[in-house]
Amino acid sequence: MSFEEFKPLNEKSLVEYIKATPALSSKIGADKYDDLVIKEVGDGNLNFVFIVVGSSGSLVIKQALPYIRCIGESWPMTKERAYFEATTLRKHGALSPDHVPEVYHFDRTMALIGMRYLEPPHTILRKGLVAGIEYPNLADHMADYMAKTLFFTSLLYHDTTEHRRAVTEFCGNVELCRLTEQVVFSDPYRVSTFNRWTSPYLDDDAKAVREDSALKLEIAELKSMFCERAQALIHGDLHTGSVMVTQDSTQVIDPEFSFYGPMGFDIGAYLGNLILAFFAQDGHTTHGNDRKVSTIFRILICMFIALWDQHKDGPGEAYLADIYNNDEVLKLVQENYMRNLLHDSLGFGAAKMIRRIVGVAHVEDFESIEEDKRRADCERSALEFGKMLLKERRKFKCIGEVVSAIQQQS
């Protein structure tokens, strides 16, 4: 069987592919293909995902399709996203190796990535949050991942020549960026055939979003920042469904939306999804913990500043050492930088919250609430908070004030 041109794999052809690929066959026991256990588990929106378990090892195969899987061939999508995902897994994995699964193999023609299988008890973080499970190391691990991947791919560490070269490479991921622009920054604020919400209970709420002029001004500013600010190599879709966890392990997966963009988009996406999880808990028998939001951001700030201090005399050209040459001016710069990062993160987080309630793709946190009216009540609380946060994000001086506002709203 030839694999010299793209073809979607099934379980049978996947075995042949593994046989022909030493980097994969060596991981699962190359002489016992009849004993392979293969399961397709791609419950996401875009790709095929196969778990392959052999006599002496296991791996995951992820293959990009030339369309959006959850919609079908009517919405084409480039397979090249697999290249950017594999590249980012490797780059982010080198910076935060404890929190990114290892890539064993990448095939650009087949749009296929072979990587480490995150074996049970690893589970999707979103599912754990819905079940009310606490993960004691989660905040430390996610702060470590975000601080390192964002700092070391920014001008705080890069010189401008290296940064522009890296930005240019990722400009090719334009289709995934355009998809984000549509579903996050455009569709929720207009009539779109892709939008959906818990009808009829949220009909007026969805209409109010479309008619809110102040909200539209703010989302336009965020869209401009998303499109124009090449601040760091961001994951691009860092929600609680893109993280797998155990009590001791945290692994970030699925960076196919990655590009050089605003740091706040990653931080905000993660925080926004934690806030959604909190508001959803009233629809479940378990109860959430709003302190997750403040804990992760506070640890992130400390780690980020520590990296900045450690490398202030390094190659980064954002703030040249011979200009920002004393502790007083460096502290002023850092305080201003982190204040702007907080406000960016809150804005993008709010935009992510809104789109998950009145846009095309929703979240299990709410969708698993069976009673429509009860689900709508939870979604409305989250939506109102998201709208407030988007419009008033600049008034918050610290993440603790945001948590207080969540408590008042819930």
Side-chain angles (χ1 to χ4, degrees), residues 68-175:
I68 296 180
R69 182 179 180 182
C70 69
I71 294 175
E73 296 185 19
S74 62
W75 193 331
M77 183 57 60
T78 176
K79 307 186 305 298
E80 273 294 279
R81 64 185 186 269
Y83 166 78
F84 297 104
E85 176 170 7
T87 302
T88 299
L89 283 170
R90 285 170 168 157
K91 289 180 181 291
H92 281 183
L95 297 171
S96 184
D98 292 337
H99 306 305
V100 180
E102 181 184 357
V103 173
Y104 302 143
H105 171 73
F106 173 62
D107 183 333
R108 197 164 187 170
T109 299
M110 290 289 288
L112 180 149
I113 305 170
M115 69 187 89
R116 175 191 166 194
Y117 170 42
L118 300 172
E119 66 284 343
H122 279 96
T123 189
I124 296 293
L125 174 58
R126 192 185 303 282
K127 294 181 181 296
L129 295 178
V130 170
I133 300 172
E134 294 286 334
Y135 297 100
N137 297 304
L138 179 64
D140 287 324
H141 290 174
M142 287 302 298
D144 179 89
Y145 167 80
M146 286 192 280
K148 289 176 179 175
T149 59
L150 297 177
F151 178 86
F152 285 116
T153 61
S154 76
L155 278 172
L156 295 172
Y157 187 75
H158 281 171
D159 63 48
T160 55
T161 300
E162 168 61 18
H163 193 74
R164 287 193 175 97
R165 185 208 60 76
V167 169
T168 300
E169 177 182 9
F170 276 84
C171 283
N173 205 13
V174 59
E175 283 196 36

Side-chain angles (χ1 to χ4, degrees), residues 206-240:
K207 182 180 179 183
V209 170
R210 298 194 299 269
E211 296 179 351
D212 191 325
S213 297
L215 204 62
K216 291 180 179 181
L217 285 174
E218 296 298 338
I219 204 67
E221 182 176 321
L222 289 171
K223 182 177 181 180
S224 177
M225 188 187 303
F226 178 85
C227 296
E228 297 166 358
R229 191 170 192 190
Q231 195 173 21
L233 177 56
I234 65 173
H235 179 286
D237 197 28
L238 191 58
H239 53 76
T240 51

Side-chain angles (χ1 to χ4, degrees), residues 34-35 48-49 79 99 191 207 284 297 331:
D34 292 340
D35 297 332
F48 281 135
V49 181
K79 307 186 305 298
H99 306 305
V191 175
K207 182 180 179 183
H284 300 283
F297 194 80
K331 183 178 180 182

Side-chain angles (χ1 to χ4, degrees), residues 112-324:
L112 180 149
I113 305 170
M115 69 187 89
R116 175 191 166 194
Y117 170 42
L118 300 172
E119 66 284 343
H122 279 96
T123 189
I124 296 293
L125 174 58
R126 192 185 303 282
K127 294 181 181 296
L129 295 178
V130 170
I133 300 172
E134 294 286 334
Y135 297 100
N137 297 304
L138 179 64
D140 287 324
H141 290 174
M142 287 302 298
D144 179 89
Y145 167 80
M146 286 192 280
K148 289 176 179 175
T149 59
L150 297 177
F151 178 86
F152 285 116
T153 61
S154 76
L155 278 172
L156 295 172
Y157 187 75
H158 281 171
D159 63 48
T160 55
T161 300
E162 168 61 18
H163 193 74
R164 287 193 175 97
R165 185 208 60 76
V167 169
T168 300
E169 177 182 9
F170 276 84
C171 283
N173 205 13
V174 59
E175 283 196 36
L176 273 293
C177 289
R178 285 185 59 81
L179 177 58
T180 299
E181 291 156 24
Q182 176 180 338
V183 301
V184 176
F185 302 109
S186 297
D187 280 356
Y189 306 91
R190 64 185 178 189
V191 175
S192 169
T193 56
F194 297 112
N195 289 343
R196 62 184 182 89
W197 53 84
T198 304
S199 184
Y201 302 102
L202 295 185
D203 287 358
D204 289 342
D205 301 86
K207 182 180 179 183
V209 170
R210 298 194 299 269
E211 296 179 351
D212 191 325
S213 297
L215 204 62
K216 291 180 179 181
L217 285 174
E218 296 298 338
I219 204 67
E221 182 176 321
L222 289 171
K223 182 177 181 180
S224 177
M225 188 187 303
F226 178 85
C227 296
E228 297 166 358
R229 191 170 192 190
Q231 195 173 21
L233 177 56
I234 65 173
H235 179 286
D237 197 28
L238 191 58
H239 53 76
T240 51
S242 296
V243 181
M244 295 193 71
V245 289
T246 68
Q247 292 295 301
D248 304 310
S249 171
T250 304
Q251 302 289 321
V252 178
I253 60 173
D254 297 346
E256 59 199 322
F257 284 79
S258 56
F259 76 112
Y260 271 77
M263 295 180 184
F265 191 76
D266 266 6
I267 300 168
Y270 186 69
L271 295 181
N273 275 263
L274 290 182
I275 297 171
L276 287 177
F278 179 76
F279 279 106
Q281 293 298 328
D282 282 346
H284 300 283
T285 57
T286 55
H287 294 284
N289 183 347
D290 52 28
R291 289 175 298 181
K292 292 187 183 77
V293 176
S294 60
T295 302
I296 172 65
F297 194 80
R298 286 172 178 146
I299 297 171
L300 171 60
I301 288 175
C302 290
M303 289 185 173
F304 196 94
I305 293 295
L307 290 171
W308 191 337
D309 288 341
Q310 181 182 350
H311 297 280
K312 64 183 179 181
D313 297 318
E317 293 189 345
Y319 300 97
L320 296 172
D322 58 349
I323 298 175
Y324 305 90

